[in-house]
Amino acid sequence: MHARSASAALGRLSLCHRSFATAAAAPTRLAARKRRLIQTFTARVAVGTAVGVAGAVVASSAYWTQDAADCEEAKRRDLAAAAAAAAPTTSTPNSADAAATSGWVEDPLSHVRHPPTLRVAVFPTPLTLVGVGTRTVTFMRFQVYSAGLYVQPDGVRKAARAHPPTDASTTSGELSMQFLEQLYQQPRALRVSPVREAEFSHLRDGFARALETRVPSSLSPDDKAKCADDIKVFKQMFPRGAFKIGEELVFSVKGDEMFFEYQGQKVGQLKSGFVCRTLFSSYLEKNAVSTNAHAAFVDGLAKMVAA
């Protein structure tokens, strides 16, 4: 009996020893597996360089999906998303006033294109493009949409005759407030086209926040309440669903009325001096919602006055 007990004890000891050895070797095997993953992916990225980062990720995806570990699957998804975000996106122009895209102006940052002239229902003659720029959000500079500013050249020159675009108080890269006040009385439009497909609700909320943060603190409580009501109506004018690549949303202003056009069709109208002015001042004045759009618009207006 003692012999059998001793034999059983030795068996258990041997089993424990093997289990311990297996557990001790696990990190080594895991590290080796990780090295193989990295080596394989690196080789496939090198092969895919000729066709770009997106192609390399696609070429490697089959290998990554064979690994059952959740962390490796997450890596594959992150790499694919990063490649898609980095790839330039060119929208297919779909403006209501031009069938051909010849002569369209490409946004240098997002590669979205805008027509050189824009016809909107509220104006008898087409408006002229001033400049284009991309709206980005978050510290990662995620591109949301490209915006084009359109005006009547005669209206811009009329504003300049009332007050020059720059004066002694104007800093570099800015326009004088007196000139801008004159410009805000002229016909104008903002054409927006998405860099990638997004919900209209996201676009709407972004514009609404830009308006809300620019309500003057000096206003009376009643005037602030009026601005808040106007912003609510502004939000109701946006279409529902997805804003797709190649589509356009146009905000045109005549006096203190704003007209909304989606794909060449009028979808709403709002009477609000605050909204009509502030939507454009958020691009044309200091602390603009888009620094590159601000620079392009300011430069384009200055050139239009000098022409």
Side-chain angles (χ1 to χ4, degrees):
M1 177 179 297
H2 290 297
R4 287 197 300 272
S5 298
S7 178
L10 287 172
R12 288 195 296 273
L13 181 60
S14 177
L15 178 61
C16 289
H17 176 75
R18 289 196 302 272
S19 298
F20 179 79
T22 299
T28 301
R29 290 199 301 272
L30 182 59
R33 181 185 182 89
K34 188 174 182 179
R35 284 196 300 272
R36 289 196 301 272
L37 285 170
I38 294 173
Q39 290 168 355
T40 302
F41 182 69
T42 301
R44 289 170 184 257
V45 167
V47 172
T49 301
V51 293
V53 174
V57 172
V58 172
S60 302
S61 63
Y63 184 83
W64 285 106
T65 53
Q66 292 172 5
D67 193 279
D70 291 340
C71 63
E72 302 302 343
E73 176 63 16
K75 287 179 183 178
R76 186 192 67 78
R77 291 196 302 268
D78 290 346
L79 285 167
T89 303
T90 302
S91 67
T92 302
N94 198 16
S95 180
D97 72 316
T101 63
S102 176
W104 284 43
V105 178
E106 183 176 283
D107 188 324
L109 183 60
S110 63
H111 305 287
V112 174
R113 290 175 287 172
H114 297 267
T117 60
L118 183 71
R119 184 179 296 278
V120 291
V122 67
F123 301 123
T125 57
L127 301 179
T128 300
L129 180 63
V130 171
V132 300
T134 300
R135 175 76 163 97
T136 60
V137 296
T138 78
F139 68 95
M140 295 181 67
R141 313 301 295 168
F142 185 84
Q143 297 177 7
V144 182
Y145 62 81
S146 178
L149 174 64
Y150 292 81
V151 298
Q152 289 181 345
D154 288 344
V156 173
R157 297 185 186 105
K158 180 180 179 181
R161 286 194 295 271
H163 196 283
T166 59
D167 55 29
S169 63
T170 308
T171 58
S172 177
E174 301 294 338
L175 297 170
S176 67
M177 287 305 304
Q178 293 86 345
F179 169 76
L180 288 174
E181 291 299 340
Q182 295 294 324
L183 182 67
Y184 295 147
Q185 300 176 28
Q186 304 301 321
R188 60 196 183 276
L190 188 74
R191 179 184 186 269
V192 173
S193 189
V195 177
R196 52 179 53 80
E197 184 173 323
E199 291 299 312
F200 269 112
S201 58
H202 299 320
L203 183 74
R204 174 201 66 201
D205 294 344
F207 275 106
R209 283 192 295 271
L211 295 174
E212 290 165 351
T213 59
R214 287 168 172 78
V215 175
S217 58
S218 58
L219 293 181
S220 67
D222 288 345
D223 287 339
K224 289 181 179 178
K226 177 63 168 60
C227 290
D229 290 340
D230 290 348
I231 294 173
K232 289 180 181 179
V233 177
F234 172 81
K235 293 173 67 175
Q236 295 170 2
M237 298 296 103
F238 282 76
R240 297 181 182 274
F243 193 20
K244 299 178 180 179
I245 292 175
E247 294 184 341
E248 65 177 14
L249 181 65
V250 177
F251 308 92
S252 56
V253 171
K254 183 178 182 180
D256 60 355
E257 286 189 286
M258 178 173 288
F259 304 85
F260 299 73
E261 290 186 20
Y262 172 51
Q263 292 298 89
Q265 300 296 319
K266 182 180 175 182
V267 294
Q269 182 175 339
L270 165 67
K271 186 171 184 178
S272 170
F274 166 73
V275 172
C276 289
R277 183 190 188 283
T278 307
L279 182 70
F280 288 84
S281 69
S282 66
Y283 290 90
L284 292 170
E285 297 179 15
K286 293 181 179 179
N287 301 317
V289 296
S290 170
T291 55
N292 67 88
H294 171 77
F297 294 174
V298 169
D299 182 63
L301 286 168
K303 289 180 179 177
M304 189 172 286
V305 171

